[in-house]
Amino acid sequence: GDSVTQMEGPVTLSEEAFLTINCTYTATGYPSLFWYVQYPGEGLQLLLKATKADDKGSNKGFEATYRKETTSFHLEKGSVQVSDSAVYFCALTSSGGYNKLIFGAGTRLAVHP
Amino acid sequence: NAGVTQTPKFQVLKTGQSMTLQCAQDMNHNSMYWYRQDPGMGLRLIYYSASEGTTDKGEVPNGYNVSRLNKREFSLRLESAAPSQTSVYFCASSTPGTNTDTQYFGPGTRLTVL
């Protein structure tokens, strides 16, 4: 079945460091891909998405490119801030339809001043 | 515009007790979802409702029932709670249409079953 694999955390960085969180997927068909972010004590918020191969999603300085050849959707940011500390989830739309999402396990990011 | 709201925020149950988690959305979305979040496992779909009047099982439906009361409200019921149901529960809703819809999440209910 469809699945998402993310790099394990926690990821600990200093402010202004470069961030990469790896995400790879297995899916039938052509899923849409998402990054969601969960700040402490809150629900999930959509960070960015891409709907087809070679699309780049971007938001708040974060970027991810839909790579069909490597089945990847890695999240990057050039200069992280303390306020980026959160849990990041990679997800895809299941081939089962009805916009059902399959999530990765999540990667916790901690940014220190 | 409150988005997706959930009640209660926290709940502690004893094994065998029952309870209903409430979810409501004010975005006129057709589809609604219940997920559970467990450490190291991401979010897993329990049940979903593609539209008012329909419900379907997700990945982990055992021990749960749902009701799509109307377009706005989608409740999740635990008939006989078990410690394995200790988790954080999230409700979500999405816009009608294509497979690229964004899901909007509520703040979650943290449930502990003793």
Side-chain angles (χ1 to χ4, degrees), chain B residues 42-108:
Chain B
L43 277 75
R44 292 179 293 167
L45 183 65
I46 305 171
Y47 270 92
Y48 67 99
S49 171
S51 61
E52 185 179 356
T54 68
T55 61
D56 284 287
K57 295 178 181 179
E59 184 183 352
V60 288
N62 290 347
Y64 305 95
N65 285 301
V66 291
S67 295
R68 183 74 182 267
L69 304 170
N70 48 55
K71 191 171 185 178
R72 291 187 63 249
E73 298 171 290
F74 188 39
S75 62
L76 178 72
R77 181 159 179 85
L78 287 69
E79 290 291 353
S80 178
S84 60
Q85 294 178 304
T86 293
S87 188
V88 181
Y89 291 85
F90 288 100
C91 178
S93 67
S94 67
T95 55
T98 71
N99 209 29
T100 60
D101 295 345
T102 296
Q103 289 193 18
Y104 294 85
F105 285 79

Side-chain angles (χ1 to χ4, degrees), chain A residues 73-87:
Chain A
F73 193 55
H74 304 321
L75 182 69
E76 296 181 337
K77 186 175 185 182
S79 176
V80 294
Q81 304 300 311
V82 172
S83 57
D84 293 327
S85 298
V87 181

Side-chain angles (χ1 to χ4, degrees), chain A residues 50 65 69-70 74:
Chain A
T65 301
E69 64 276 13
T70 55
H74 304 321

